[in-house]
Amino acid sequence: MSRRALTLLIAGFLVLALGVVGAFRPVPYVVLSPGPTEDTIGTFENKPVIAISGRQTYKTSGALRLVTVAYQGGPQARIDLLTALRGWIDPTVAVVPEETIFAPDRDPEKVEEENAVEMTDSQDSATAAALNELKIPYSTVVTVVAVDKGTPAEGKLQKGDEFNTVDGKPATNGDVIGNAVKAHKLGETVTFNVTRGKEKLDVTMKTAAGPDGKPRIGIQMQAKYKFPFEVDINVGDVGGPSAGMMFSLGIIDKLTPGELTGGKQIAGTGTIEPGGQVGAIGGIAQKMVGAREAGATVFLTPRDNCAEAMKAAPEGLRLVRADTLHDAVLALDALRTGKGAVPACETR
């Protein structure tokens, strides 16, 4: 063998070896793929996804599927280059920079915890939105979720305290409480009536200067809903707020006679506000693929996701635009009865 041929052979081998080694090197990307779907009027691990007690419920049919995105990779378990390349080729998945999912300055475990909190908040908002749609009254109460150390509230208020009044006026929301505190001068006394366990207590404290120099007492608050019956939602470790609209529709279907789906396989996504506003989500392309694979023929889509959804919708999946929960209910009624308008996604 000539020296030239030998040199080319060795060079080719080295390039191949480097390519093989490089293919298995970790890279800072995340692969997003269609995740599991769950039927909000069905069961999860042999238990109802939505269990309602203390209120009459009705028979349902078909499916109202929430959809998810699965991810592979992350700072603690990076994918290799070969996996990323396969993802770039596969039209049903997306490969995105790691920082779009995991901010560089945030602990991945903390992100998972926040997703779990968002899911819990989403379930409460979904219940509130469903009850608003059905005109079923409920109440809210502001609770203490944390007390800052070294502040006037330390030793006075406790986590879990429920506010009744502030300075003798109803504490209807967090803004009312915050504004009442700020209306005082530094060092003035603010008076609360709170429910702690089974007791109602009057609690007083003097305001102190916060980092911005304005009066504060040093607490973190959260609105808590008090519903007239119990709604328990069970979806395992699914996190994030994007299933909100589908939870609301599942609750409505169970609380009303007739079958909202008309026996169809309906899927959808979107955050939900207590007032019924539907918000945009991420991963719409992967969620639609998961929905179609699960048998869905209709996909409820937030308005701000429509443009992206229209480019990636799989064959056989009809996109129905949902600006609000009420719109979604009307659209499902129209699909079931054949009467009324069914808003479609359209380019803007």
Side-chain angles (χ1 to χ4, degrees):
M1 181 181 293
S2 68
R3 175 175 292 184
R4 177 181 176 83
L6 180 62
T7 300
L8 289 173
L9 180 63
I10 293 172
F13 175 77
L14 290 175
V15 169
L16 178 62
L18 288 172
V20 170
V21 171
F24 293 98
R25 288 184 62 83
V27 291
Y29 288 90
V30 175
V31 174
L32 304 179
S33 59
T37 72
E38 298 296 343
D39 179 11
T40 61
I41 53 176
T43 60
F44 174 78
E45 295 182 346
N46 299 318
K47 296 180 180 179
V49 172
I50 298 174
I52 298 173
S53 55
R55 184 90 175 190
Q56 182 178 359
T57 57
Y58 299 87
K59 180 183 176 182
T60 61
S61 70
L64 288 166
R65 294 191 174 278
L66 65 85
V67 287
T68 65
V69 174
Y71 72 85
Q72 181 182 3
Q76 296 180 335
R78 281 182 169 163
I79 60 172
D80 55 43
L81 179 59
L82 189 60
T83 300
L85 290 172
R86 285 199 299 264
W88 275 312
I89 296 171
D90 188 342
T92 67
V93 305
V95 181
V96 299
E98 190 176 87
E99 61 267 22
T100 63
I101 308 296
F102 302 96
D105 57 344
R106 298 177 69 194
D107 184 346
E109 290 186 4
K110 187 69 174 177
V111 172
E112 293 288 348
E113 291 175 3
E114 291 175 356
N115 283 341
V117 171
E118 285 184 338
M119 173 58 84
T120 300
D121 290 345
S122 173
Q123 292 171 2
D124 288 342
S125 293
T127 304
L131 268 58
N132 284 333
E133 175 68 18
L134 297 175
K135 295 180 171 51
I136 298 173
Y138 62 90
S139 60
T140 59
V141 64
V142 181
T143 65
V144 177
V145 294
V147 178
D148 299 332
K149 291 184 178 180
T151 63
E154 186 177 17
K156 299 275 190 174
L157 293 171
Q158 298 179 10
K159 180 180 179 180
D161 284 351
E162 299 179 354
F163 290 102
N164 300 315
T165 63
V166 52
D167 291 332
K169 298 178 181 179
T172 51
N173 57 56
D175 288 340
V176 167
I177 296 170
N179 290 336
V181 172
K182 291 175 183 177
H184 286 273
K185 295 180 180 178
L186 293 175
E188 286 187 344
T189 298
V190 57
T191 303
F192 300 98
N193 182 266
V194 302
T195 298
R196 181 177 299 163
K198 295 183 179 180
E199 291 185 275
K200 287 191 175 182
L201 307 171
D202 287 323
V203 181
T204 62
M205 65 199 73
K206 293 183 178 181
T207 62
D212 58 359
K214 296 180 180 179
R216 70 161 186 164
I217 57 171
I219 59 170
Q220 297 175 43
M221 301 174 288
Q222 184 180 48
K224 180 180 177 182
Y225 300 103
K226 287 193 172 183
F227 302 119
F229 48 86
E230 186 175 350
V231 179
D232 183 49
I233 298 177
N234 167 46
V235 285
D237 60 357
V238 173
S242 66
M245 176 177 62
M246 300 311 292
F247 286 141
S248 290
L249 290 171
I251 293 167
I252 290 170
D253 200 8
K254 289 201 165 197
L255 288 175
T256 52
E259 298 170 346
L260 193 58
T261 67
K264 290 183 172 65
Q265 291 281 324
I266 310 291
T269 188
T271 64
I272 196 74
E273 296 294 329
Q277 298 82 6
V278 174
I281 51 78
I284 189 76
Q286 289 71 47
K287 289 178 177 180
M288 290 189 300
V289 171
R292 190 69 188 100
E293 289 177 349
T297 56
V298 174
F299 194 85
L300 298 169
T301 313
R303 174 187 286 273
D304 289 341
N305 287 120
C306 271
E308 182 183 358
M310 290 175 66
K311 296 176 183 177
E315 186 177 351
L317 192 65
R318 179 178 181 178
L319 301 184
V320 175
R321 194 183 75 240
D323 299 347
T324 67
L325 178 61
H326 186 64
D327 292 338
V329 171
L330 292 180
L332 293 180
D333 285 342
L335 287 169
R336 185 183 67 255
T337 63
K339 300 176 182 179
V342 180
C345 277
E346 54 190 21
T347 56
R348 301 172 66 181

